[in-house]
Amino acid sequence: MSTPPHTVDAFVEAFLRELNVGQGVSLARSSVNDQALALARTVRHHLMARWLEAIATQRRSPVKAVGYLSAEYLLGRQLDNALLATDLLDVVREGLAACGLDLDTLRDAELEPGLGNGGLGRLAACFVDSLATMNVPCIGYGIRYEYGIFRQTFVDGRQVEQPDTWLTLGSPWEFPHPESAQQVDFAGYTETYVDDDGQERCRWVSGWHVVGVPYNYMVPGYRNGRVNTLRLWSARATKEFDLEIFNSGDYADAVRARTFAENITKVLYPEDSTPQGKELRLQQQYFFVACSLADYMFEVLPRDFDMTRLHERIVFQLNDTHPVIAVPEMMRLLVDVRKLSWDDAWAVTQKCFAYTCHTLLPEALEVWPVDLIGRLLPRHLEIIERINAEFLAEVRERFPGDELRVRRMSIISDYPERGVRMAHLATVAATKVNGVAALHSELLRDKVLPDFSEMWPERFTNVTNGVTPRRFLKQANPRLSDLVTEAIGDGWITDLDQLQGLEPLADDAEFRARFRAVKRSNKERLADLLRRRDGYELPVDSMLDVMVKRLHEYKRQSLKLLHVVSVYEQIVSGRVDPASVVPRTVVFGAKAAPGYRMAKETIHAINCVSAVVNDDPAVKGVLSVVFPSNYNVTLAESLIPAADLSEQISLAGKEASGTGNMKLALNGALTIGTDDGANVEIRELVGDDNFFLFGMLEPEVATLAEHYVPSRCYEEDDDLKRAIDLLSSGAFAGGDRTAFEPLVSNLLYEDRFMALADYRSYVDAQSRVDAAYRDPDAWARAAILNVARCGFFSSDRSMRDYIDRIWHTEPAPAGE
Ligand code: B1H
């Protein structure tokens, strides 16, 4: 198969054929959806030949591959990415115009696959993009959720979740392969038996099973001809279920059984950082890793492959603890199925896994009840118990007589109930354990897993996160990309350090003027979108102050809200002359987990404040607050390029890394931020003068935590008191004084993430922001330096670090 020619005529011909033959409609009678599907299919043809080639080469060649195991991939729209990778943008725009069609309209018809919650899922998408661009063989394994992250709507300012029906009109980017389905067992019991050569062995007699059908997605590298694969699994009822329907008197019951099986991949858990002990979630986790390991070990590798050499062909990266059940699953496959000895199997398994931790919040470390694992995966529980027994024997040998340490380190905890600590299991099994930013990796070593890092210091490492410059600069910000390319050439697209070449231009007045014009036109583009999408009037002349991320108390959207209320209060009370205020538009974008009460209260408060502020003539032209609903990758691509100020204000020591912080800085926003996560590295690189630092440092946080009384901050700071009093006064809730009671009480009497303690420092830093923004030219200079100095945050660099420090893989021979 060959790649179609890169001409407008060839495109038009292929597009019309797809429309007529693929969709079965004429151009004249086709709907936008018909056209969008036909367009996608036409574009994907350009990647097809390369894809087949990459798959064939990988089967033939012995190059070690990366198996990225992730419960989430937040991919964003596929069409733009494919146009970029194939360099077809101009051809397609022109070809469609010749057919009387508009590319942007068709683009907007695509619903993004929202198969992730936030940063962790988007990181996985950036990583597979980078690996393809770097020509490194990788299979991304995950789950094809029928409903991805919920669609957020606001009703009376409150979040209401709607199902994300991204598949209803069909997804042209996926390729189902039912012939490669895998069976996945659950429940039942284990028994010993004597096999043919007289050996006593164990086997698992399962209670029920489902099949996993893989759906392949193309992961194109940037104009390098490589296409890797993302393989997402979908659960189906097995033939036995069908037979049951046939035989059963109770048809409805049998159909229910089918639904039960297919429920496994029905919906993404809309949780972020607070996993709940949901059985279905454990089923999802096991389902996808069981499919993935069997797929790689028994389908991708030759049938007779010597499994003692498995680590020469694959390394599985565990994206947080969600796929960690893969560890006992690999042991089961090697010992029970392939009949390796336990010791040989463990030696290989330990070389095949590496583990990335993404959190510092203790409640986000998954612990599965032993009872649940025993019921759902009885053989895996036995395997975990044996791994633990051998591990604890090693601990006792290293630290004789230290039974407290043994209890702290045990994979199985006793309290509050018997549970399997998945982070411990991962750490015991992994060749390497990494955090996602320098500070996070340090805290991970010293505070989260100190006993483990003492025992195995060489096992711990850091890989600072990164973001793909293709999607988040080249594609999302075409105007800035063009300006950069005109100045330094286009090598930055695959070698982001080249942005350093912009440094001298920060001192070039003409370049600064052009940079400012780009920012402004990005704001205009955003204003157009928000007008159509949410009915907001975005003042394009004001500072665009952006806080976009999942809603979580540790991220402290409430602190940002207190700042907004303070500014508003000072103007309406007459203490500050509006003419002296730097005009600002504050943009929030955030989804709250549906069961997260305080997060939802915060959303409600932001919307209520927004409604009053935007309607008050006293602050017109000076302060406005916009909160477009349903923040997702697509919206991020319009918002980030328009931002002036990036809010990264988590309590120090709580945000593992952050990646929005990188995207915003790379697009020329200045950061106001705490000394947390990757902010630390951003500040080091861009320089103190080009970053607004505030707030306690992590050690201060740890000290204050011992005696923190938030209400004292309220009593002692007059501006804070006025802001909180105004919030409680009913002024933003039609006179209802109880409207924000849960939020306000939480801040005054609990404030686990110390928003009030950092308030003074934060508003002072905001005054420095205002002062800096008054000099637009100096601001532009600082913004350009942010762009020039953020090359480090390319996910290509992250991948290089994983390769050097963890995977030890190589790029595939090109075009073999
Ligand atoms: C991150 C998660 C997460 N850390 C549980 N942990 C989830 C945990 O559905 N769940 O149960 C979902 C997500 N997500 C984020 O990962 C960190 O908070 C960010 O700081 C980090 O940048 C990102 C990528 O490393």
Side-chain angles (χ1 to χ4, degrees):
M1 172 172 189
S2 61
T3 303
H6 219 260
T7 66
V8 174
D9 287 347
F11 166 76
V12 170
E13 195 191 323
F15 171 70
L16 292 175
R17 192 170 51 236
E18 279 298 338
L19 203 53
N20 300 153
V21 182
Q23 285 300 111
V25 288
S26 64
L27 177 58
R29 299 197 57 87
S30 60
S31 66
V32 169
N33 190 54
D34 289 324
Q35 295 154 10
L37 290 176
L39 171 60
R41 292 207 183 90
T42 311
V43 173
R44 78 184 194 184
H45 283 178
H46 286 257
L47 295 166
M48 212 57 175
R50 303 295 194 162
W51 196 21
L52 298 180
E53 203 173 291
I55 292 168
T57 311
Q58 190 56 26
R59 278 179 189 270
R60 277 196 314 269
S61 90
V63 176
K64 183 168 163 183
V66 177
Y68 201 79
L69 296 178
S70 178
E72 304 190 6
Y73 290 90
L74 201 43
L75 295 172
R77 285 182 179 161
Q78 297 297 288
L79 176 66
D80 288 311
N81 191 240
L83 289 175
L84 190 66
T86 50
D87 197 12
L88 274 172
L89 188 62
D90 295 336
V91 166
V92 165
R93 199 183 281 287
E94 213 179 301
L96 288 175
C99 301
L101 302 176
D102 171 40
L103 173 59
D104 293 333
T105 309
L106 302 196
R107 237 184 208 155
D108 285 343
E110 182 182 350
L111 299 173
E112 69 170 69
L115 310 182
N117 275 293
L120 173 143
R122 182 53 234 179
L123 187 76
C126 285
F127 282 4
V128 293
D129 175 271
S130 282
L131 288 172
T133 294
M134 295 162 73
N135 207 19
V136 175
C138 166
I139 308 185
Y141 283 115
I143 300 174
R144 178 183 177 270
Y145 301 102
E146 194 176 325
Y147 297 90
I149 183 73
F150 64 85
R151 189 164 58 81
Q152 179 191 52
T153 60
F154 295 140
V155 176
D156 297 333
R158 294 195 175 272
Q159 172 176 296
V160 173
E161 301 90 22
Q162 306 288 347
D164 162 46
T165 53
W166 70 289
L167 284 170
T168 37
L169 293 176
S171 167
W173 298 104
E174 60 178 22
F175 295 79
H177 282 280
E179 79 289 352
S180 302
Q182 294 289 346
Q183 177 172 317
V184 182
D185 292 308
F186 288 96
Y189 56 91
T190 64
E191 62 184 19
T192 50
Y193 69 103
V194 177
D195 75 5
D196 299 343
D197 41 339
Q199 285 267 339
E200 186 164 290
R201 301 200 157 269
C202 190
R203 75 178 153 218
W204 173 19
V205 183
S206 71
W208 52 276
H209 57 262
V210 300
V211 291
V213 175
Y215 284 67
N216 287 350
Y217 285 72
M218 297 185 271
V219 184
Y222 178 75
R223 299 184 192 170
N224 66 347
R226 182 165 189 96
V227 183
N228 278 341
T229 301
L230 183 63
R231 199 152 235 227
L232 305 182
W233 298 93
S234 177
R236 296 275 180 283
T238 54
K239 294 245 169 45
E240 285 75 34
F241 279 106
D242 287 338
L243 207 62
E244 241 174 86
I245 294 177
F246 189 71
N247 293 333
S248 163
D250 192 342
Y251 175 75
D253 229 28
V255 172
R256 262 196 292 280
R258 260 200 106 75
T259 311
F260 172 78
E262 294 177 1
N263 259 343
I264 292 181
T265 53
K266 190 63 78 183
V267 58
L268 168 77
Y269 271 80
E271 299 295 333
D272 194 319
S273 306
T274 50
Q276 293 170 358
K278 292 273 174 57
E279 179 164 345
L280 192 56
R281 183 155 164 109
L282 180 61
Q283 289 177 11
Q284 289 186 334
Q285 296 182 350
Y286 178 64
F287 167 78
F288 101 86
V289 301
C291 289
S292 308
L293 292 195
D295 180 66
Y296 195 83
M297 292 164 69
F298 307 141
E299 301 290 330
V300 176
L301 291 180
R303 284 265 157 197
D304 57 352
F305 187 80
D306 170 10
M307 289 294 165
T308 62
R309 308 182 63 177
L310 185 59
H311 57 282
E312 293 170 17
R313 299 297 294 274
I314 187 81
V315 54
F316 288 108
Q317 187 67 35
L318 301 164
N319 197 26
D320 216 86
T321 50
H322 320 142
V324 169
I325 196 73
V327 170
E329 172 66 0
M330 181 177 283
M331 286 299 286
R332 187 185 74 81
L333 294 175
L334 294 176
V335 174
D336 296 359
V337 178
R338 278 302 172 94
K339 316 218 156 146
L340 264 59
S341 73
W342 175 274
D343 290 346
D344 285 350
W346 183 240
V348 184
T349 299
Q350 273 199 307
K351 289 185 216 142
C352 283
F353 288 104
Y355 161 52
T356 306
C357 176
H358 292 265
T359 191
L360 286 160
L361 303 180
E363 69 268 30
L365 295 171
E366 286 182 299
V367 179
W368 291 108
V370 165
D371 285 352
L372 174 59
I373 297 203
R375 192 155 34 82
L376 210 55
L377 302 168
R379 179 61 181 139
H380 297 76
L381 182 58
E382 290 176 359
I383 292 172
I384 292 166
E385 283 170 337
R386 181 154 172 198
I387 294 172
N388 195 37
E390 296 190 358
F391 163 60
L392 294 182
E394 205 181 325
V395 176
R396 289 192 172 100
E397 198 174 309
R398 258 299 284 286
F399 305 96
D402 196 346
E403 282 307 301
L404 271 179
R405 179 188 299 264
V406 170
R407 284 178 66 175
R408 284 198 307 269
M409 295 184 79
S410 176
I411 294 170
I412 298 176
S413 67
D414 284 327
Y415 186 80
E417 57 176 342
R418 275 174 51 81
V420 178
R421 296 160 163 157
M422 302 308 271
H424 290 205
L425 177 57
T427 304
V428 169
T431 50
K432 293 281 176 184
V433 176
N434 77 287
V436 288
L439 174 67
H440 174 237
S441 295
E442 208 177 284
L443 295 171
L444 181 65
R445 253 189 331 251
D446 300 344
K447 299 215 160 167
V448 183
L449 299 168
D451 294 312
F452 291 89
S453 64
E454 192 183 340
M455 187 154 163
W456 298 310
E458 69 297 335
R459 198 171 289 195
F460 287 76
T461 186
N462 171 248
V463 178
T464 298
N465 283 166
V467 302
T468 171
R470 271 73 65 187
R471 183 177 289 269
F472 290 105
L473 189 51
K474 172 82 179 141
Q475 177 192 314
N477 199 343
R479 291 182 186 85
L480 182 57
S481 295
D482 289 348
L483 181 63
V484 170
T485 297
E486 193 188 309
I488 61 168
D490 68 359
W492 60 270
I493 299 170
T494 51
D495 178 11
L496 204 59
D497 283 331
Q498 290 188 21
L499 290 179
Q500 278 165 8
L502 294 173
E503 285 233 2
L505 293 163
D507 292 318
D508 175 331
E510 194 207 319
F511 189 80
R512 285 197 301 268
R514 294 182 68 193
F515 183 89
R516 287 174 56 195
V518 164
K519 216 17 127 192
R520 177 162 180 117
S521 90
N522 288 340
K523 286 185 195 177
E524 282 163 0
R525 183 182 75 158
L526 177 66
D528 276 349
L529 177 74
L530 294 187
R531 192 176 304 118
R532 274 186 284 124
R533 188 184 182 276
D534 306 86
Y536 280 118
E537 262 325 307
L538 194 75
V540 290
D541 286 319
S542 67
M543 179 205 305
L544 203 71
D545 172 353
V546 173
M547 183 162 190
V548 287
K549 50 188 77 251
R550 280 301 287 259
L551 213 141
H552 205 293
E553 284 162 285
Y554 82 79
K555 296 178 186 284
R556 304 199 293 190
Q557 278 91 353
S558 57
L559 178 58
K560 174 78 251 174
L561 184 64
L562 285 175
H563 171 240
V564 168
V565 172
S566 271
V567 172
Y568 178 70
E569 189 277 332
Q570 288 169 16
I571 297 171
V572 294
S573 69
R575 289 188 301 139
V576 163
D577 174 7
S580 72
V581 174
V582 176
R584 273 198 201 220
T585 302
V586 175
V587 183
F588 287 94
K591 290 180 183 177
Y596 190 170
R597 159 116 196 272
M598 205 49 69
K600 293 181 118 174
E601 294 294 340
T602 308
I603 286 180
H604 179 231
I606 295 170
N607 276 324
C608 291
V609 168
S610 160
V612 168
V613 167
N614 296 351
D615 205 36
D616 190 337
V619 295
K620 191 152 187 62
V622 176
L623 180 66
S624 59
V625 180
V626 302
F627 190 172
S629 60
N630 202 41
Y631 177 66
N632 58 9
V633 177
T634 306
L635 180 56
E637 288 168 14
S638 296
L639 253 172
I640 289 171
D644 292 307
L645 185 66
S646 161
E647 299 272 352
Q648 308 300 336
I649 63 176
S650 54
L651 177 63
K654 302 298 173 198
E655 186 71 271
S657 164
T659 44
N661 48 2
M662 302 170 185
K663 293 165 199 165
L664 283 154
L666 187 59
N667 279 275
L670 271 60
T671 305
I672 180 167
T674 47
D675 203 55
D676 199 16
N679 295 355
V680 177
E681 289 153 88
I682 294 177
R683 186 169 60 90
E684 270 167 19
L685 285 164
V686 305
D688 285 338
D689 295 346
N690 306 306
F691 186 108
F692 302 94
L693 176 69
F694 76 97
M696 292 177 284
L697 306 182
E698 193 279 329
E700 298 173 68
V701 170
T703 310
L704 180 60
E706 289 161 22
H707 56 86
Y708 181 48
V709 183
S711 56
R712 217 174 276 156
C713 304
Y714 164 85
E715 296 298 345
E716 288 169 5
D717 191 312
D718 196 45
D719 290 331
L720 175 58
K721 185 165 186 307
R722 286 166 184 265
I724 290 186
D725 289 348
L726 185 61
L727 208 47
S728 313
S729 71
F732 300 110
D736 178 359
R737 294 173 162 271
T738 64
F740 310 128
E741 205 277 325
L743 190 65
V744 170
S745 301
N746 186 271
L747 285 173
L748 285 177
Y749 305 114
E750 192 171 335
D751 195 18
R752 184 172 160 214
F753 299 103
M754 302 182 173
L756 303 198
D758 272 344
Y759 169 85
R760 176 48 47 195
S761 166
Y762 180 53
V763 296
D764 287 349
Q766 290 287 12
S767 304
R768 284 186 273 131
V769 169
D770 284 339
Y773 200 76
R774 279 178 211 284
D775 183 346
D777 209 36
W779 183 280
R781 184 176 179 280
I784 293 165
L785 289 176
N786 266 263
V787 179
R789 296 175 180 174
C790 276
F792 175 78
F793 299 106
S794 167
S795 45
D796 302 347
R797 188 272 314 147
S798 303
M799 294 296 86
R800 180 57 42 224
D801 288 348
Y802 274 91
I803 290 169
D804 293 345
R805 298 173 194 169
I806 301 175
W807 299 333
H808 311 297
T809 50
E810 291 159 41
E816 198 189 310

